[in-house]
């Protein structure tokens, strides 16, 4: 379940072009989902091709730990970050990833750095 070298080049070029298109409002998750569907591969495969394996590491796990250690519900976190609770669930399950502006807001809310959220923990 992977991509050949030609497909990898295609994915990178397509992503770059789509990311600049106002239709997608510079939202990488939408683009990645469309590419994953087009190439019939999981979201993670496309994300890794575009950003590398450790780009978002265990962000879902990190977000869940931050939320749960503060005894917050997904609804509590969603209200504070100004997103839908479903979005929090998708982030925690690594089904999608927060954009840079939301990562900054999350980091501020939890009192941590963006790097602490996005780093791979061993």
């Amino acid at each position: 379940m992977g991509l050949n070298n030609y497909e990898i080049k295609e994915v990178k070029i397509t992503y770059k072009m789509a990311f600049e298109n106002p239709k997608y409002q510079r939202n990488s998750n939408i683009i990645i989902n469309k590419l994953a569907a087009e190439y019939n591969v999981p979201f993670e495969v496309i994300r890794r091709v575009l950003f590398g394996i450790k780009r978002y590491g265990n962000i879902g796990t990190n977000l869940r730990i931050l939320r749960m250690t503060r005894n917050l519900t997904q609804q509590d976190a969603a209200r504070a970050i100004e997103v839908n609770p479903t979005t929090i669930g998708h982030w925690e399950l690594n089904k999608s990833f927060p954009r840079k502006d939301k990562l900054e807001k999350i980091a501020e809310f939890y009192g941590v750095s963006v790097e602490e959220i996005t780093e791979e923990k061993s």
Side-chain angles (χ1 to χ4, degrees):
M1 205 189 285
L3 301 170
N4 64 40
N5 287 338
Y6 179 78
E7 290 170 326
I8 289 171
K9 272 185 173 177
E10 247 182 13
V11 164
K12 288 179 178 182
I13 291 168
T14 304
Y15 174 82
K16 185 175 181 181
M17 290 171 53
F19 192 73
E20 297 301 323
N21 185 332
K23 176 180 175 183
Y24 297 108
Q25 301 174 343
R26 302 177 70 85
N27 187 335
S28 60
N29 291 333
I30 291 171
I31 302 165
I32 294 170
N33 277 322
K34 287 184 179 288
L35 287 167
E38 178 71 27
Y39 288 92
N40 198 27
V41 295
F43 180 95
E44 274 300 302
V45 170
I46 300 296
R47 187 190 58 75
R48 285 184 184 136
V49 164
L50 296 170
F51 303 117
I53 293 172
K54 292 190 179 182
R55 169 86 162 126
Y56 287 112
N58 294 339
I59 190 169
T61 302
N62 296 345
L63 289 173
R64 189 175 315 107
I65 289 168
L66 285 168
R67 180 179 58 77
M68 293 179 81
T69 57
R70 287 159 177 80
N71 293 319
L72 298 172
T73 65
Q74 288 182 344
Q75 290 79 11
D76 296 333
R79 251 190 312 279
I81 300 163
E82 299 175 346
V83 296
N84 189 301
T86 305
T87 301
I88 299 291
H90 285 165
W91 291 344
E92 290 183 0
L93 293 170
N94 292 317
K95 288 184 175 181
S96 66
F97 300 94
R99 294 187 317 243
K100 184 179 178 193
D101 62 320
K102 291 298 180 191
L103 272 174
E104 291 167 352
K105 195 165 193 164
I106 294 165
E108 182 181 331
F109 174 67
Y110 287 122
V112 298
S113 69
V114 169
E115 291 75 26
E116 287 178 75
I117 296 169
T118 59
E119 75 183 1
E120 186 99 19
K121 302 234 186 337
S122 47

